[in-house]
Amino acid sequence: MNGTTLPSVAAPVNLADLRAAARRRLDPAHDDFFAGGAGDERTVRDNEAAFDAYRVLPRVLRGVGARDLRVELFGETVSMPVLASPTAFHRLAHPDGEAGCARAIAAAGTIMVVSMAATTPVETIAAAVATMPPRPAPASGPPRPPKLWFQLYPQPDLAFTESVIRRAEAAGCGALVVTVDSPVFGRRERDLRHGFLDLPDGLCCENMRDPVTGEIRAITMDAALDWRRIDWLRETTRLPLVLKGVLHPADAALAVEHGVDAVLVSNHGGRQLDGVPASVDALPAVVDAVAGRLPVLLDGGVRRGTDVLTALALGAVAVGVGRPVLWGLAAGGEMGVRQVLELLRADLDRAMALAGADSPAAITPDLVTPAVGGRAWPVGVRR
Amino acid sequence: MNGTTLPSVAAPVNLADLRAAARRRLDPAHDDFFAGGAGDERTVRDNEAAFDAYRVLPRVLRGVGARDLRVELFGETVSMPVLASPTAFHRLAHPDGEAGCARAIAAAGTIMVVSMAATTPVETIAAAVATMPPRPAPASGPPRPPKLWFQLYPQPDLAFTESVIRRAEAAGCGALVVTVDSPVFGRRERDLRHGFLDLPDGLCCENMRDPVTGEIRAITMDAALDWRRIDWLRETTRLPLVLKGVLHPADAALAVEHGVDAVLVSNHGGRQLDGVPASVDALPAVVDAVAGRLPVLLDGGVRRGTDVLTALALGAVAVGVGRPVLWGLAAGGEMGVRQVLELLRADLDRAMALAGADSPAAITPDLVTPAVGGRAWPVGVRR
Amino acid sequence: MNGTTLPSVAAPVNLADLRAAARRRLDPAHDDFFAGGAGDERTVRDNEAAFDAYRVLPRVLRGVGARDLRVELFGETVSMPVLASPTAFHRLAHPDGEAGCARAIAAAGTIMVVSMAATTPVETIAAAVATMPPRPAPASGPPRPPKLWFQLYPQPDLAFTESVIRRAEAAGCGALVVTVDSPVFGRRERDLRHGFLDLPDGLCCENMRDPVTGEIRAITMDAALDWRRIDWLRETTRLPLVLKGVLHPADAALAVEHGVDAVLVSNHGGRQLDGVPASVDALPAVVDAVAGRLPVLLDGGVRRGTDVLTALALGAVAVGVGRPVLWGLAAGGEMGVRQVLELLRADLDRAMALAGADSPAAITPDLVTPAVGGRAWPVGVRR
Amino acid sequence: MNGTTLPSVAAPVNLADLRAAARRRLDPAHDDFFAGGAGDERTVRDNEAAFDAYRVLPRVLRGVGARDLRVELFGETVSMPVLASPTAFHRLAHPDGEAGCARAIAAAGTIMVVSMAATTPVETIAAAVATMPPRPAPASGPPRPPKLWFQLYPQPDLAFTESVIRRAEAAGCGALVVTVDSPVFGRRERDLRHGFLDLPDGLCCENMRDPVTGEIRAITMDAALDWRRIDWLRETTRLPLVLKGVLHPADAALAVEHGVDAVLVSNHGGRQLDGVPASVDALPAVVDAVAGRLPVLLDGGVRRGTDVLTALALGAVAVGVGRPVLWGLAAGGEMGVRQVLELLRADLDRAMALAGADSPAAITPDLVTPAVGGRAWPVGVRR
């Protein structure tokens, strides 16, 4: 490693390599914090496994020499339909922290959703992004890095909540991702066994700083949260609202009625209620309920280009990745995150070429077929 | 351990911890007696595994700050929809025996079903419960511990059977749980291999004491048992009758006709006939057959709050736990049983909050969806 | 062991114990000959595993104190719906051979199907059976042991085939079990690897002795075999004809048309064509095709009382067991076979009591429900 | 080994033996090159596993003494419905290379599809075949070895593509197998880990020799490839065109419209896009779309006679084998390939006899039934 290039993880072939590298570098309690989930971690495992129960049914001879992976989200162009979902405590994973992560994501031409539990102030993250040169997109990438989005746990103290929103707005964030799957805290048994209950000295949730006292407030999980708070948010900010954590189609329909701008199908990486469906299994019913009135996003278990392709074929406009970004960060800091995103981009590009889709819009529902028991059911055979 | 506080198992995170602690403390033959089942123990395993084939489909933004877990059973309020199903030989598990167990269950504000094979007289158990202070329920618990219920294997000797019922009534039991799945004894191969065929010296089935001779009678499995005996029981006592061991919907319909007060879907913890369905798999058809004319309960395989939630979403009004109570008892006596019940209560409370249900009545059928092969089928997609 | 009682395998708890004991005593090549099957042995495994995909849905309170396991087959009473399917080379398993096996089966009050590949002449086997005292059936068993049945591979040499039939008739056999699943020999790779291609010196297929030359003929698998040969058999003997090896419902329908007396659903223990369905999976369609015009039997994978119950609920009138008889024979000679049959009888009796069926006729279709992926599907829920 | 007979692998019992022998002889990087696939190799595994999810439902008593395995393909007779699919780099596996392989395949009376990535010129391969004596078919085989077919990756340089076609025509090839599943190169992670990126010195793709410069050109994966190129091929050669790599039924329908002569359902052995269906799972919908207007072939995962029978019952006219030929070649050169093909022929012949089919035409759809979770679903029972 010399001073002019970023350190890199030697030749990771796939995301699993970076996951293994991250495990080698992290304190086991921290690795378990990032890897673990609620209860028996059925949903953690299911998120990944569920993608294996779909098969891609490729088209051939479609002339896919000129592929364009870009998608539009709230009027902005993103270089591929893969965002970085919010994840907590980046400085626990690597000194590069949220700022390094943000630079890597900006370099990839896509969106970082800044966590309310970030260990770096949103303003610092935004400043890091601002220093990035326009991303040299191979084909016709966007002229500048897309904006950050900001993730919000609505706090019972409305004034404080509003102050956080104003910080995000002032930092130039392009959307508010409102987490609604956390009326109480998910019980993560790995953390209980490690006694990992708080951040180590020197790290804190910088976006929870009280504007009056200057002290860091604890993030409150608010069990009283209901749709009236969404209406209040709708009135409080002009930022697009993305409702994160919707799994039930009835809630997706309510989201449309309450005027949010997008729904993000998510089970919080299996960290809130163990035993809920894998995100990709919940997706079709949500897409059906929304009926095109809103864009639907998904996160949970995306590890391969075919996972992205599957989610888009089932109706998502884009997906988020959470743990893979942390693996890259832990394994190699900013450069590790770049590797994660470029591996995913290349994998998606290849999958699209091989499936005969030259753009996200060309990823039609007929390109994917469900499987049973981990094995494809004969295509087109009704059971 | 000092004299003023009950001994406790250090920081069990979940019921599996208590199960492991119990195994460490028990004689292997006794552990196998509690853990084992009939035949190849397919149903033992299936009881737990079957819950993994359902997924909870949570609602969000439902304002679940004020949750109330109480349910009404035969006019009495129970602090949560989790009872202690009858299990034999508590003093084999721990010196605290049935009395300690009963105190813990009363402290939790719920019902203990006293086993006909208890190693403590029902009167002693009732006396232990009577000494308990009114449970300090966090929200609005019942003013006093709920009554005991009493489990009955109807004996061919009707006079003796009646004498047992009179003892249960006199001890203040609130219902009679009539086990009907045992026309013959289930063959438990672990016990045969251990040669575990009888209680050790000093322990006996105290509720089988002959009122005339004072001797302990053997519990007879009566293959001739039929619905006429249920009619006789109906005439013999005013206690509510709970029919335990119903799996076939046709029997559930007959139960309604014969005027029993509740049906308990159970396969006797997989200890009677190996190869019958998991309780939760048998539940929907029983609920359908009963059609709301009776409350339906379930036991078998409940280990997590989401298991309780699943059973209630499928139509049960409450569930019983058997082996977990024994794990608590073996691991830590009375305090171990308390830990089991409070872990379950907290897990259920958390699951309800995260699923958007603020009371058992709010656990509607749409909150649960079946899965295939241990993986959720896409929600709302018909196969 | 003293001289007056038969040697016994100490306390086998279930058939798996006898299987393990057999393995310990047999030459590995011989154990593999008995245990192995064709190709990758998928069907061998599937025969047993398939029963695990059904669940027994028991009835309760049916007053099953007086159970009667007897069934009628071709006008004769058998003590239980479990026969001994034909298996080759008994003297390879134990010196007691077919004669000892026959005595044990007669003692159990059921039918032995003598193999055409028996290492003992059918006349000797019949003589062994004739020495048995009438079986002391606990309830109301038959006054004398049921007749032997005789298994036939129809040989291209009709005169020789007829001579074999005449021997079977003269020996008092009660039916002819015609194996039709063997137009060519199944390829058993374990035997090829062992080089096990022929019987050791001193053993031969005694029922293949040429009536003219006195020499032992090789059993010919006749690929030209067709329904005309069944018609010829029908004209050649008055013995009831049981067609063994039917899996396809169209063949079951043809069997009715050609006037055979019973169909035995079998895949030859997975020893002929690997990849055919488990017997129990093929049963329903055959029962449907036969539509009550013939009795249907089944063999393959029966190891537990619930397996017998499952087959009967799906429409079989009785089942055969093959390998379990060999396990008993290898493990303990005649007494081992007795243990196998009495374990099975007790297991079936218990299963019937616990399922609420006091006779084979009471084992109705609603007592069994299919499962998916080794787990019961919610009863009564259509998928 | 003496000079007059070919060396042989001692007594391989099945193809798995040859696969193991190949692994022992090959450089691990080369073994991984042949064995590996794209991504997580789900499709590689699925190709084989998927056949296990079908069951053969045999007919009996059909008089199958005179079996004839021959099929007609483009007016020529092949000795059995099993071809050798194109595979690259035979001289990497064994010095006998493509020429030895071709002799073995000709000896078996079937067709070798010469790979565009062969390490031997097509002319040399054709010359090797020409030296073979007419195959002594046991029954009534063809009078001479069938022609070679030639596999083509259409190159962007049309003139060069045409020159390759002319070489294939001049060498007497009987059909052109056009691979359409490779708009980009599949990413094989085993090769990346080994750094196996190019042929060793002395080996090259002989069919890529530039007719002008005499140099070896690299095979270009052409992402721009579309149906117009198929039309161009249709006009450029009179050879029958086989479209290889079709999985989507819509593409099969287009193939009919564009006048190709056959469709080969294939996923390139799982080497192009991981996560596509197993070939046999994609087959039924393609057969349905083609509706008899074209012959449909299949390759991927064929290892047993029952696999061939399954594919034919589902509508294929013949199947190809890829890796098994390489296993034979690596294990024993020309003789190893012979062993592979004769093992497969014998296995298919036996399977057909045991299933009651005396010719490929007699392999009707009712002979195969799908299974669920690796276990046959009750035959004829709709789910």
Side-chain angles (χ1 to χ4, degrees), chain C residues 296-309:
Chain C
V296 176
L297 296 96
L298 167 144
D299 70 21
V302 173
R303 305 292 180 259
R304 287 283 186 186
T306 42
D307 299 340
V308 183
L309 194 149

Side-chain angles (χ1 to χ4, degrees), chain A residues 77-167:
Chain A
T77 301
V78 191
S79 72
M80 61 175 167
V82 180
L83 321 181
S85 272
T87 46
F89 303 168
H90 286 193
R91 291 176 63 203
L92 201 65
H94 193 278
D96 285 0
E98 285 84 1
C101 200
R103 283 191 298 267
I105 294 165
T110 190
I111 291 167
M112 175 179 181
V113 185
V114 175
S115 172
M116 194 152 177
T119 45
T120 308
V122 62
E123 296 81 1
T124 307
I125 303 171
V129 169
T131 65
M132 295 297 292
R135 183 178 160 273
S140 55
R144 57 184 171 80
K147 294 178 177 172
L148 299 171
W149 290 359
F150 189 83
Q151 181 251 348
L152 184 80
Y153 291 107
Q155 300 294 291
D157 181 337
L158 296 187
F160 176 74
T161 302
E162 185 171 348
S163 77
V164 175
I165 295 171
R166 298 295 170 243
R167 281 180 67 186

Side-chain angles (χ1 to χ4, degrees), chain B residues 163-363:
Chain B
S163 77
V164 176
I165 295 171
R166 297 296 170 241
R167 280 180 68 186
E169 291 171 341
C173 290
L176 215 53
V177 176
V178 186
T179 298
V180 295
D181 59 14
S182 305
V184 298
F185 205 71
R187 193 160 180 270
R188 298 161 198 171
E189 300 187 356
R190 295 201 210 192
D191 296 347
L192 295 173
R193 294 190 193 282
H194 284 298
F196 179 74
L197 302 170
D198 210 348
L199 281 169
D201 284 352
L203 297 186
C204 65
C205 293
E206 294 284 356
N207 296 322
M208 291 299 294
R209 195 172 296 276
D210 190 294
V212 180
T213 67
E215 295 196 348
I216 300 296
R217 299 169 69 132
I219 298 175
T220 300
M221 300 292 164
D222 184 4
L225 197 69
D226 62 14
W227 287 100
R228 288 172 298 183
R229 198 78 64 79
I230 303 303
D231 297 338
W232 176 86
L233 285 169
R234 182 71 298 167
E235 291 162 14
T236 302
T237 182
R238 291 187 175 171
L239 288 179
L241 293 182
V242 180
L243 222 56
K244 176 171 183 283
V246 172
L247 293 172
H248 200 297
D251 287 331
L254 284 173
V256 176
E257 292 177 23
H258 284 268
V260 306
D261 300 282
V263 164
L264 171 46
V265 173
S266 172
N267 52 38
H268 212 120
R271 295 163 76 85
Q272 282 297 104
L273 179 56
D274 192 38
V276 304
S279 301
V280 71
D281 285 334
L283 178 63
V286 167
V287 167
D288 198 53
V290 162
R293 294 173 291 173
L294 287 180
V296 177
L297 297 95
L298 168 145
D299 70 22
V302 173
R303 305 291 178 260
R304 287 282 187 186
T306 43
D307 299 339
V308 183
L309 194 150
T310 297
L312 267 61
L314 295 173
V317 298
V319 304
V321 285
R323 288 186 183 90
V325 166
L326 292 167
W327 299 338
L329 186 64
E334 177 179 341
M335 183 50 72
V337 177
R338 284 200 192 189
Q339 289 178 313
V340 161
L341 293 172
E342 297 312 325
L343 278 170
L344 264 175
R345 182 199 310 280
D347 214 41
L348 172 60
D349 179 66
R350 189 182 307 108
M352 287 172 58
L354 292 170
D358 60 4
S359 71
I363 300 173

Side-chain angles (χ1 to χ4, degrees), chain D residues 272-314:
Chain D
Q272 282 297 103
L273 179 56
D274 192 39
V276 303
S279 302
V280 73
D281 285 334
L283 179 63
V286 167
V287 167
D288 199 53
V290 162
R293 294 173 290 174
L294 287 180
V296 176
L297 297 96
L298 168 145
D299 69 22
V302 173
R303 305 293 179 258
R304 288 282 188 187
T306 43
D307 298 340
V308 183
L309 194 150
T310 297
L312 267 61
L314 295 174

Side-chain angles (χ1 to χ4, degrees), chain C residues 84-358:
Chain C
S85 272
T87 46
F89 304 168
H90 286 192
R91 290 176 62 204
L92 201 66
H94 193 277
D96 285 0
E98 285 84 1
C101 200
R103 283 192 298 270
I105 294 165
T110 189
I111 290 167
M112 174 179 181
V113 185
V114 175
S115 172
M116 194 153 176
T119 46
T120 309
V122 63
E123 296 82 0
T124 306
I125 302 170
V129 168
T131 66
M132 295 297 293
R135 183 178 161 275
S140 53
R144 58 186 171 78
K147 293 178 177 172
L148 298 170
W149 290 359
F150 189 82
Q151 181 251 349
L152 184 79
Y153 291 106
Q155 298 295 292
D157 181 337
L158 296 188
F160 176 73
T161 303
E162 185 171 348
S163 77
V164 175
I165 295 171
R166 297 297 170 241
R167 281 180 68 185
E169 291 171 340
C173 290
L176 215 52
V177 177
V178 186
T179 298
V180 295
D181 58 15
S182 305
V184 298
F185 204 73
R187 191 158 181 273
R188 298 161 199 170
E189 301 187 356
R190 297 201 209 190
D191 296 346
L192 295 173
R193 294 191 193 282
H194 283 298
F196 179 75
L197 303 169
D198 210 348
L199 281 168
D201 284 351
L203 297 184
C204 65
C205 293
E206 294 284 356
N207 295 322
M208 290 301 292
R209 196 172 295 275
D210 190 293
V212 179
T213 66
E215 294 197 347
I216 300 296
R217 299 167 67 131
I219 298 176
T220 301
M221 300 293 162
D222 184 4
L225 197 69
D226 62 14
W227 287 99
R228 289 171 297 183
R229 198 77 64 79
I230 303 302
D231 298 338
W232 176 86
L233 285 169
R234 180 72 296 169
E235 292 161 14
T236 301
T237 183
R238 291 187 175 171
L239 287 179
L241 293 181
V242 180
L243 222 56
K244 176 172 183 283
V246 172
L247 293 173
H248 199 297
D251 287 331
L254 284 173
V256 176
E257 291 177 24
H258 284 268
V260 305
D261 299 282
V263 163
L264 172 45
V265 173
S266 171
N267 51 38
H268 213 119
R271 295 164 77 84
Q272 282 298 103
L273 179 56
D274 192 39
V276 304
S279 302
V280 72
D281 285 335
L283 179 63
V286 168
V287 166
D288 199 53
V290 163
R293 294 173 290 173
L294 287 179
V296 176
L297 296 96
L298 167 144
D299 70 21
V302 173
R303 305 292 180 259
R304 287 283 186 186
T306 42
D307 299 340
V308 183
L309 194 149
T310 297
L312 267 62
L314 295 174
V317 298
V319 303
V321 286
R323 288 186 183 91
V325 167
L326 291 166
W327 299 338
L329 186 64
E334 176 180 341
M335 183 50 73
V337 177
R338 283 200 193 189
Q339 289 178 311
V340 161
L341 293 172
E342 296 311 325
L343 278 171
L344 264 175
R345 182 199 311 280
D347 214 41
L348 173 59
D349 178 66
R350 190 182 307 108
M352 287 172 58
L354 292 170
D358 60 5

Side-chain angles (χ1 to χ4, degrees), chain D residues 24 69 190 334 338:
Chain D
R24 285 191 299 268
L69 273 60
R190 297 201 209 192
E334 176 180 342
R338 283 201 194 189

